[in-house]
Amino acid sequence: MKSELIVDVQPQEISIALLEEGKLEEFSKERREPIFAVGNIYYGRVKKVMPALNAAFVDVGHEKEGFLHYLDLGSQFLTIKKYVDDLHSGQRVQMVKIQPQEEVGKEGQIADVLKVGDMILVQVSKEPINTKGPRLTAEISIAGRNIVLMPFAEKVMVSNKIKREAERSRLKQLVQSIKPKGYGVIVRTVAEEKRVAALDTELRVLVKRWEEAVSKLQQKTEVALIKEEIGRTIGIIRDVFSPSFESIAVNDAEMYEEIKQYIELISPEHASIVQLYKNDQPIFDHYDVTRQMKTGLGRTVGFKHSGYLIMEKTEALFSIDVNSGSKKLFEDQEQNAFGFNMLAADEIVHQLRLRDIGGIIIIDFIDMDSKENQQALYDHVRELMGRDRAKHNVLPLSKFGLMQITRQRVRPALEVDIREVCPTCHGKGKVQSSLFFTETLETQLNLYAQHFGKRLRLHLHPFVAAYIKQGGIGSLSLKWWWKYKVKIVPNQSLGVLQYQFFDKDAHRLELPDDEDALSENQ
């Protein structure tokens, strides 16, 4: 299957789209500011111990304390805590010389292990969602492409998705022979058939990351970030990269170098697929991502043969209603319902992955009487969900025709507002005339040209861009080109009367406040 990763780097955020055979399969946004991302490791302070919840609230620098349950302490919590305390006291401690402490059992009380004021090492397992702070774990792990490193765990475990016993045994013995004492390792599915050299190199890199992280503890007396997870862009590449990837396109030179270096590390033979996108047209427009987002992320989502889904988010769950529309696949009502349900299942699973919907999902399929059809639909959904990387559970149809799915949620679900609010009337129902708008644009062109020089790029809604380009030799676009050397670029992400200026290197331009105010008063 042809896979492409498209990375749109903007001043405030980075958007990442995964395409499979040209279809948008995953989309995520990462703000370019400190976030409490999954995988971040913090030196935190216990603020509250809640015996009723058998949990503690830990200050990690977020406005809401992180939640740490007793079961998330891990069996080696006391050993890690002693190691961290010794490091913080200024001692030079080697992991192999740490005396193992008593293991923390699965049944116990957190008040017997932690007290208010304790400084502990924790890792984010779920990002803050809505009003909740981050979910934490004290079972520290450092994820790589092929393996996951777990300090003090000692065990070697192999992914259950590797089915062949001979390969499982080979990988286990191989990793056991190369791992340093004091570490545990989880062998990931992508490590299947990997040679010892590749695993050994990655293991050394992960051990170095851990050592660099804990070395910072000697200088820390307050809550602090000890190790930041690699960016979500690199994280997605790490988790989804396969030889089927044909291109990774990015529109920023710095991010391009970062991605290329990572690909050279994990798969040198594929380094050439990383491409720096330099065209004037926005990268998401060029790869048809913008259109797919606007048509596929609304409340109503269509699928084949005029069927459609109604998707609603509530505080408790996510509901999906399946509708057949006006067309019929079969004259027989039962077969017609079954056909539309099977088509709907394909789109539903696609939407769960695309929007990264987690928690409880309730699907109201079209009613079917046949038990065989109900079972076939259930089997089909399970098969489709089998390709989902997130942990999930699918239940058979209930007697009311409802299917329940639970899907792991580690970060907020994607929410993209596909509506375009008029930038002129702000929803009041009146807009300025098109003639006045073109005059406004020319005034802005003059100001931007004076301030930034010529050779600018003016991004406009495609309808407006087409209007300005019409007329050939007498068009406004040609007139402006001769006068200002400005190039008109259609941009699907803009509203009808919105515009943006860029320089020839695709950097967004903004006028100083005083000149902006002057243009509004003219």
Side-chain angles (χ1 to χ4, degrees):
M1 182 179 290
K2 176 184 174 182
S3 299
E4 299 172 283
L5 197 69
I6 316 301
V7 184
D8 181 22
V9 180
Q10 297 297 330
Q12 301 299 323
E13 63 187 13
I14 300 174
S15 300
I16 307 145
L18 175 63
L19 305 179
E20 292 182 357
E21 299 295 342
K23 185 177 181 180
L24 182 62
E25 291 292 343
E26 291 187 22
F27 183 84
S28 63
K29 288 187 177 183
E30 177 182 2
R31 293 198 63 80
R32 304 186 75 177
E33 60 185 30
I35 58 172
F36 293 81
V38 171
N40 280 8
I41 300 175
Y42 292 88
Y43 190 44
R45 175 180 284 107
V46 178
K47 298 289 286 186
K48 300 173 189 173
V49 176
M50 308 292 288
L53 299 174
N54 204 15
F57 287 94
V58 182
D59 178 15
V60 290
H62 191 265
E63 58 183 348
K64 295 273 188 180
E65 287 96 5
F67 181 82
L68 175 65
H69 193 271
Y70 175 82
L71 292 177
D72 292 321
L73 291 176
S75 61
Q76 302 302 319
F77 174 76
L78 294 177
T79 303
I80 294 179
K81 188 173 186 303
K82 175 173 171 41
Y83 177 62
V84 169
D85 290 344
D86 289 349
L87 280 174
H88 189 256
S89 65
Q91 299 181 43
R92 291 190 174 183
V93 189
Q94 293 182 354
M95 287 186 58
V96 293
K97 294 184 178 179
I98 284 288
Q99 188 67 30
Q101 303 296 298
E102 180 183 356
E103 289 191 1
V104 174
K106 292 186 177 181
E107 294 184 4
Q109 295 300 313
I110 199 161
D112 297 332
V113 183
L114 291 177
K115 64 180 183 298
V116 174
D118 280 354
M119 298 295 293
I120 59 174
L121 209 60
V122 289
Q123 188 169 28
V124 176
S125 59
K126 286 186 181 180
E127 291 181 11
I129 297 175
N130 298 329
T131 59
K132 298 177 181 177
R135 179 74 182 256
L136 306 175
T137 177
E139 287 192 280
I140 308 298
S141 61
I142 314 291
R145 166 74 176 156
N146 299 296
I147 58 178
V148 178
L149 184 73
M150 302 183 70
F152 294 106
E154 288 293 354
K155 297 179 182 178
V156 174
M157 294 167 280
V158 180
S159 168
N160 290 328
K161 292 183 179 180
I162 298 177
K163 301 298 184 183
R164 291 185 294 123
E165 280 302 322
E167 178 63 8
R168 292 175 61 85
S169 178
R170 182 189 76 87
L171 287 169
K172 191 168 185 177
Q173 291 177 13
L174 188 155
V175 173
Q176 194 75 256
S177 67
I178 62 175
K179 82 171 185 68
K181 186 178 179 182
Y183 294 96
V185 173
I186 299 174
V187 182
R188 306 182 74 178
T189 310
V190 292
E192 194 167 8
E193 305 296 343
K194 288 290 189 301
R195 296 184 177 181
V196 63
L199 299 180
D200 184 55
T201 299
E202 185 169 22
L203 184 60
R204 292 173 185 272
V205 170
L206 297 182
V207 169
K208 184 179 179 182
R209 286 183 191 169
W210 163 251
E211 291 175 344
E212 289 175 348
V214 294
S215 67
K216 299 176 183 177
L217 290 171
Q218 293 178 328
Q219 294 84 37
K220 304 296 182 184
T221 57
E222 296 296 326
V223 172
L225 174 64
I226 298 302
K227 178 191 171 294
E228 187 172 9
E229 174 66 311
I230 57 178
R232 191 171 295 179
T233 308
I234 302 298
I236 288 177
I237 294 173
R238 179 188 66 197
D239 293 339
V240 307
F241 181 81
S242 73
S244 67
F245 264 52
E246 293 197 358
S247 73
I248 300 173
V250 57
N251 61 352
D252 179 80
E254 185 178 341
M255 180 61 71
Y256 163 78
E257 291 295 337
E258 184 179 341
I259 294 173
K260 189 169 184 179
Q261 287 175 14
Y262 184 73
I263 295 296
E264 287 173 345
L265 176 66
I266 66 170
S267 184
E269 66 273 19
H270 289 94
S272 61
I273 70 173
V274 186
Q275 304 167 4
L276 179 60
Y277 181 82
K278 296 181 179 180
N279 293 353
D280 290 325
Q281 185 183 23
I283 189 170
F284 275 0
D285 288 8
H286 179 79
Y287 286 95
D288 198 35
V289 175
T290 307
R291 183 194 64 80
Q292 292 192 58
M293 285 172 56
K294 289 191 173 184
T295 57
L297 288 173
R299 176 176 176 268
T300 302
V301 178
F303 58 90
K304 292 180 181 177
H305 301 291
S306 80
Y308 63 96
L309 310 174
I310 304 294
M311 310 188 70
E312 297 275 9
K313 176 186 176 184
T314 71
E315 190 68 25
L317 51 84
F318 201 100
S319 68
I320 302 175
D321 183 40
V322 178
N323 297 275
S324 60
S326 57
K327 292 185 180 179
K328 281 189 175 182
L329 295 176
F330 303 96
E331 287 301 321
D332 179 72
Q333 184 175 345
E334 176 72 18
Q335 283 301 104
N336 193 62
F338 176 66
F340 271 108
N341 283 338
M342 294 291 278
L343 292 173
D346 294 337
E347 185 59 35
I348 287 168
V349 173
H350 171 242
Q351 288 288 324
L352 297 185
R353 184 180 171 191
L354 174 60
R355 303 183 190 217
D356 200 11
I357 298 170
I360 301 173
I361 300 126
I362 305 295
I363 306 167
D364 183 10
F365 283 106
I366 303 170
D367 291 339
M368 299 181 296
D369 295 326
S370 167
K371 298 294 184 185
E372 290 79 8
N373 287 343
Q374 292 178 12
Q375 183 64 40
L377 177 61
Y378 169 62
D379 293 339
H380 184 55
V381 173
R382 287 191 63 191
E383 181 184 354
L384 293 171
M385 290 294 293
R387 299 194 287 268
D388 194 337
R389 298 194 314 274
K391 294 179 181 178
H392 59 269
N393 188 28
V394 183
L395 297 182
L397 289 166
S398 72
K399 64 179 180 180
F400 299 116
L402 303 177
M403 179 177 288
Q404 299 177 61
I405 298 176
T406 60
R407 187 173 184 273
Q408 182 185 30
R409 175 166 53 193
V410 297
R411 55 180 59 93
L414 174 66
E415 292 185 5
V416 177
D417 192 351
I418 63 172
R419 298 170 297 177
E420 294 180 359
V421 177
C422 170
T424 305
C425 74
H426 301 289
K428 294 179 181 178
K430 295 182 179 180
V431 300
Q432 65 192 72
S433 69
S434 58
L435 179 61
F436 182 74
F437 180 58
T438 56
E439 290 179 355
T440 300
L441 279 180
E442 186 155 10
T443 301
Q444 291 292 308
L445 263 173
N446 187 41
L447 288 169
Y448 273 83
Q450 289 178 26
H451 192 86
F452 298 105
K454 296 184 178 181
R455 302 283 177 183
L456 302 176
R457 305 289 189 268
L458 173 56
H459 286 222
L460 298 168
H461 187 281
F463 290 170
V464 179
Y467 171 75
I468 288 174
K469 289 180 178 181
Q470 71 174 354
I473 297 177
S475 67
L476 279 173
S477 64
L478 193 60
K479 172 188 170 184
W480 291 349
W481 169 256
W482 288 115
K483 190 174 181 180
Y484 305 106
K485 301 300 182 190
V486 66
K487 185 173 182 179
I488 305 300
V489 180
N491 188 331
Q492 297 175 18
S493 67
L494 296 178
V496 176
L497 298 183
Q498 284 182 305
Y499 56 89
Q500 293 175 349
F501 284 91
F502 294 80
D503 64 17
K504 60 183 178 60
D505 296 318
H507 295 129
R508 174 83 180 274
L509 302 176
E510 294 282 359
L511 284 175
D513 291 340
D514 54 347
E515 294 195 34
D516 227 2
L518 177 63
S519 68
E520 290 179 5
N521 292 327
Q522 288 181 338

